[in-house]
């Protein structure tokens, strides 16, 4: 669908005037602090995205400068950056074919190996940020700030990035995205360090492997909190309501309850769950990306290649066979085929089950999954 | 100076990281001591291994990696195909210089400057990785 330029915000129109070699294809205004134009760069002959963002007139425009410093396959590159006026700038970057991770995870279920690979890529990009002399912490790693291009994950949105103090290794805490904020980023002595980025990476890993965290903040309140919220809504202003919701979420995060591991699919191996749990601990979590990556790397061997394909659970190429757990006539049962075969046959040696968890347990025992 | 001593044996790499000099050094990041690659690695397995190695060098500002030297013949330090493959992967992808250290060189370094027995790991393989890192220290 052709975009009518006159209907775009004035800043986007100015960018298009300044950038005649850019041919707009898509306009996105869902971001909190600006717009994104996606289209074709006719000189580079590449699909590019232009991010337009607002800032204070005295603010240093740090975002493109920070990205330009880092040369890593999992950190977004910047092709060009310009100031539009005193409080608005834009920069040009490669367009991600599959959009952000949040929408990607809404559209697709990932197989174990793709989830593992994406988490490793994320950690690899984080290592490039943390590396001396960059010494940067992102402070706002969440699915909406990560882009997916083919099967590659790119760290984007550097608006919250800060350099850590060389003597303490910490940066001031960020007030971004409360759901992904680590426990140490709350309170009067809030701070942020490299392990805080790894906490957020752990939460993203939990989502990549199929865990669920509702983006609706009210979903995180228990019954008691919801009932108290109704009283506050009736008697106080919006600010008090927001403060109460934030305090409930802070409490949940401090108790380490933001990720509910029971929402992970039953097929996620125990050793992966153990790593993810360690990554989001309040204390004694991973402090360096390499420790996190080493643990992930060391469990890679013999990871079963499960995928939830919506209607059934599929295990690919396990000792030369593919397995399918599917639902029919109010019961779950297993099917199998040779890995290079075409049609699945019912596996009667694995009995029928009332739940997918039971069917999985039976199959697991039969084929020797850990 | 920060040196990563890597003992390649079979499918695994045992790692000890030392910072300082031969006469005054400390062991850093003791939790990171093992890196494995499956016996029949896929491309993704190798990518994950390389990502971990690169992150290790970046996180700890490693100046040099010291690997046990292998021989193509039937010498005392001959290795199998897995360590040969792992050595190639590290040589090809390491973001920092890699030094291959002959067992004789390690023995000479230990003889010349005494190792710090309080820091040297007790397990045989990590002990050897420590010796490699120690040899690489100035």
């Amino acid at each position: 669908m052709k975009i009518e330029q006159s209907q775009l915000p004035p800043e986007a129109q100015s960018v298009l005037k300044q950038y005649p070699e850019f041919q707009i294809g898509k306009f996105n205004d869902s971001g909190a602090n600006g717009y994104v134009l996606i289209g074709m760069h006719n000189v580079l002959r590449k699909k590019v995205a232009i991010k337009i963002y607002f800032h204070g007139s005295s603010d240093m425009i740090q975002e493109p400068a920070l990205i330009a410093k880092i040369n890593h396959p999992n950190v977004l590159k910047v092709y060009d950056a310009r100031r539009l006026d005193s409080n608005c700038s834009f920069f040009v970057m490669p367009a991600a074919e599959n959009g952000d991770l949040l929408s990607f995870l809404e559209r697709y279920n990932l197989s174990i190996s793709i989830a593992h690979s994406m988490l490793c890529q994320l950690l690899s990009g984080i290592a490039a940020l943390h590396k001396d002399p960059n010494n940067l912490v992102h402070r706002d790693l969440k699915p909406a700030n990560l882009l997916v291009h083919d099967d590659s994950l790119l760290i984007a949105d550097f608006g919250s990035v800060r350099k850590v103090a060389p003597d303490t290794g910490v940066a001031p805490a960020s007030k971004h995205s409360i759901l992904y904020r680590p426990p140490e980023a709350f309170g009067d002595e809030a701070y942020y360090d490299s392990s805080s980025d790894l906490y957020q990476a752990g939460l993203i890993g939990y989502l990549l492997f199929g865990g669920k965290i509702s983006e609706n903040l009210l979903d995180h309140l228990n019954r008691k909190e919801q009932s108290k919220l109704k009283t506050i809504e009736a008697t106080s202003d919006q600010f008090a309501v927001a403060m109460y919701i934030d305090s409930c979420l802070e409490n949940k995060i401090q108790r380490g309850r933001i990720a509910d591991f029971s929402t992970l699919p039953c097929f996620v191996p125990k050793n992966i769950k153990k790593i993810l749990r360690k990554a989001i601990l309040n204390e004694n979590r991973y402090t360096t990306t390499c420790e996190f990556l080493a643990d992930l790397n060391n469990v890679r061997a013999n990871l079963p290649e499960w995928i939830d394909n919506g209607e059934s659970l599929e295990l690919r190429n396990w000792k030369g066979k593919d397995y399918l757990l599917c639902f029919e006539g109010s019961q779950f049962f297993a099917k199998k085929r040779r890995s290079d075969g075409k049609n699945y046959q019912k596996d009667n040696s694995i009995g029928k089950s009332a739940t997918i968890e039971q069917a999985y347990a039976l199959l697991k025992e039969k084929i020797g999954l850990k | 100076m920060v040196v990563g001593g890597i003992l390649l044996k079979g499918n695994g790499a045992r790692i000890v990281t030392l910072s300082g000099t031969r006469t005054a050094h400390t062991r850093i990041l003791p939790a990171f001591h093992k890196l494995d690659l499956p016996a029949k690695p896929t491309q993704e397995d190798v990518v994950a291994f390389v990502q971990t190695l690169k992150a290790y060098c970046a996180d700890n500002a490693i100046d040099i990696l010291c690997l046990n030297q292998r021989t193509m013949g039937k010498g005392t330090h001959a290795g199998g195909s897995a360590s040969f493959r792992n050595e190639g992967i590290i040589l090809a992808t390491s973001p920092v210089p890699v030094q291959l250290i002959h067992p004789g060189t390690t023995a000479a370094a230990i003889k010349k400057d005494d190792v710090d027995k309080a820091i040297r790991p007790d397990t045989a393989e990590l002990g050897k990785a420590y010796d490699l890192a120690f040899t690489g220290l100035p």
Side-chain angles (χ1 to χ4, degrees):
Chain A
M1 198 175 79
K2 201 171 184 304
I3 290 175
E4 197 58 58
Q5 288 194 17
S6 58
Q7 289 179 357
L8 293 173
E11 294 84 8
Q13 290 185 36
S14 305
V15 168
L16 292 175
K17 270 181 205 159
Q18 275 200 29
Y19 233 84
E21 49 278 80
F22 176 76
Q23 198 181 332
I24 186 169
K26 247 185 189 174
F27 174 73
N28 183 342
D29 60 353
S30 63
N33 186 34
Y35 316 109
V36 177
L37 310 175
I38 300 165
M40 196 71 186
H41 194 296
N42 290 330
V43 177
L44 296 176
R45 291 186 187 171
K46 265 188 161 184
K47 213 172 168 191
V48 298
I50 297 181
K51 181 175 176 181
I52 305 167
Y53 62 105
F54 299 97
H55 48 79
S57 52
S58 58
D59 287 354
M60 191 177 70
I61 315 169
Q62 65 158 0
E63 194 167 346
L66 288 171
I67 310 172
K69 246 190 211 174
I70 297 157
N71 184 18
H72 190 276
N74 301 110
V75 178
L76 197 71
K77 287 180 177 53
V78 61
Y79 293 147
D80 193 6
R82 295 180 197 180
R83 202 165 185 147
L84 208 57
D85 58 42
S86 59
N87 55 14
C88 185
S89 302
F90 72 94
F91 62 90
V92 186
M93 57 191 178
E97 208 60 60
N98 295 306
D100 64 49
L101 183 64
L102 184 68
S103 58
F104 187 75
L105 289 176
E106 279 166 7
R107 278 177 284 147
Y108 306 107
N109 291 325
L110 306 185
S111 71
I112 294 278
S113 71
I114 291 180
H116 183 283
S117 161
M118 283 191 159
L119 182 55
C120 288
Q121 289 175 37
L122 170 64
L123 290 167
S124 186
I126 293 173
L129 297 180
H130 291 180
K131 182 183 169 181
D132 192 50
N134 299 331
N135 298 319
L136 299 168
V137 280
H138 189 285
R139 305 194 308 163
D140 194 20
L141 290 167
K142 58 176 181 175
N145 287 345
L146 302 172
L147 302 175
V148 184
H149 185 72
D150 298 331
D151 283 341
S152 293
L153 202 70
L154 295 167
I155 299 175
D157 209 326
F158 293 77
S160 58
V161 169
R162 289 288 177 278
K163 223 174 167 84
V164 295
D167 49 342
T168 58
V170 302
S174 151
K175 296 277 182 204
H176 293 81
S177 321
I178 190 164
L179 279 178
Y180 296 88
R181 217 184 287 166
E184 63 273 18
F186 291 94
D188 296 335
E189 290 173 5
Y191 67 92
Y192 209 97
D193 63 11
S194 54
S195 81
S196 314
D197 272 352
L198 300 180
Y199 170 91
Q200 294 185 329
L203 280 183
I204 293 162
Y206 160 82
L207 296 172
L208 286 169
F209 282 99
K212 303 282 176 240
I213 297 179
S214 171
E215 291 285 318
N216 180 2
L217 301 185
L218 295 181
D219 290 348
H220 295 273
L221 272 56
N222 59 32
R223 271 191 207 163
K224 203 174 157 189
E225 288 166 339
Q226 295 220 358
S227 115
K228 194 174 173 189
L229 179 69
K230 277 181 189 157
T231 320
I232 295 172
E233 277 173 335
T235 55
S236 309
D237 59 2
Q238 280 296 312
F239 181 72
V241 171
M243 287 292 285
Y244 179 70
I245 296 171
D246 280 5
S247 72
C248 294
L249 281 164
E250 179 184 341
N251 185 27
K252 194 170 184 181
I253 291 166
Q254 297 288 7
R255 286 185 294 127
R257 297 280 169 84
I258 201 74
D260 176 4
F261 278 77
S262 67
T263 65
L264 277 173
C266 54
F267 55 74
V268 175
K270 273 184 190 166
N271 46 16
I272 292 281
K273 285 184 191 166
K274 194 177 163 193
I275 293 169
L276 295 174
R277 277 185 208 277
K278 186 177 174 185
I280 59 169
L281 283 175
N282 284 12
E283 286 169 13
N284 300 325
R285 75 172 83 110
Y286 294 110
T287 52
T288 60
T289 44
C290 69
E291 285 173 80
F292 196 163
L293 269 168
D295 280 355
L296 281 172
N297 176 78
N298 293 343
V299 301
R300 239 199 104 82
N302 298 323
L303 268 187
E305 180 61 334
W306 280 103
I307 186 165
D308 178 355
N309 55 26
E311 292 167 351
S312 56
L313 301 184
E314 192 175 3
L315 172 62
R316 292 174 191 159
N317 199 13
W318 181 258
K319 296 178 182 169
K321 287 200 172 76
D322 295 342
Y323 294 88
L324 202 64
L325 290 177
C326 39
F327 184 71
E328 205 177 270
S330 77
Q331 281 184 317
F332 288 91
F333 59 91
K335 286 181 173 181
K336 69 177 179 184
R337 69 176 181 196
R338 281 161 62 119
S339 281
D340 52 357
K342 278 184 183 173
N343 298 322
Y344 277 102
Q345 302 288 330
K346 215 170 192 177
D347 187 348
N348 291 320
S349 65
I350 300 166
K352 291 177 179 175
S353 312
T355 65
I356 190 77
E357 286 79 13
Q358 284 172 3
Y360 170 73
L362 287 172
L363 180 68
K364 192 177 154 186
E365 201 178 347
K366 167 94 192 301
I367 63 175
L369 278 172
K370 281 181 187 170
Chain B
M1 190 169 185
V2 184
V3 180
I6 302 182
L7 177 84
L8 295 175
K9 195 171 179 189
N11 292 316
R14 296 293 172 268
I15 303 164
V16 170
T17 317
L18 298 179
S19 172
T21 62
R22 281 189 192 174
T23 48
H25 57 269
T26 50
R27 185 177 172 201
I28 57 173
L29 202 70
F32 184 89
H33 57 81
K34 185 184 168 199
L35 203 52
D36 289 335
L37 197 59
K40 290 178 186 171
T42 61
Q43 191 176 6
E44 287 78 25
D45 293 332
V46 177
V47 168
F49 181 87
V50 171
Q51 281 168 337
T52 312
L53 182 78
K54 286 184 174 175
Y56 163 66
C57 294
D59 282 346
N60 302 291
I62 301 289
D63 293 300
I64 189 167
L65 292 177
C66 293
L67 265 63
N68 52 323
Q69 194 181 70
R70 298 160 26 85
T71 176
M72 306 301 277
K74 290 185 177 176
T76 51
H77 53 292
S81 59
S83 63
F84 178 63
R85 178 198 64 207
N86 291 357
E87 181 188 286
I89 293 170
I90 295 175
L91 285 171
T93 60
S94 170
V96 297
V98 180
Q99 201 176 340
L100 297 172
I101 296 182
H102 190 277
T105 313
T106 309
I110 293 166
K111 202 173 173 186
K112 190 178 165 213
D113 302 295
D114 283 340
V115 296
D116 188 340
K117 283 180 183 156
I119 297 175
R120 192 177 188 273
D122 293 332
T123 56
E125 289 178 358
L126 278 181
K128 284 180 187 170
Y130 170 90
D131 294 344
L132 288 164
F134 178 81
T135 310
L137 288 173

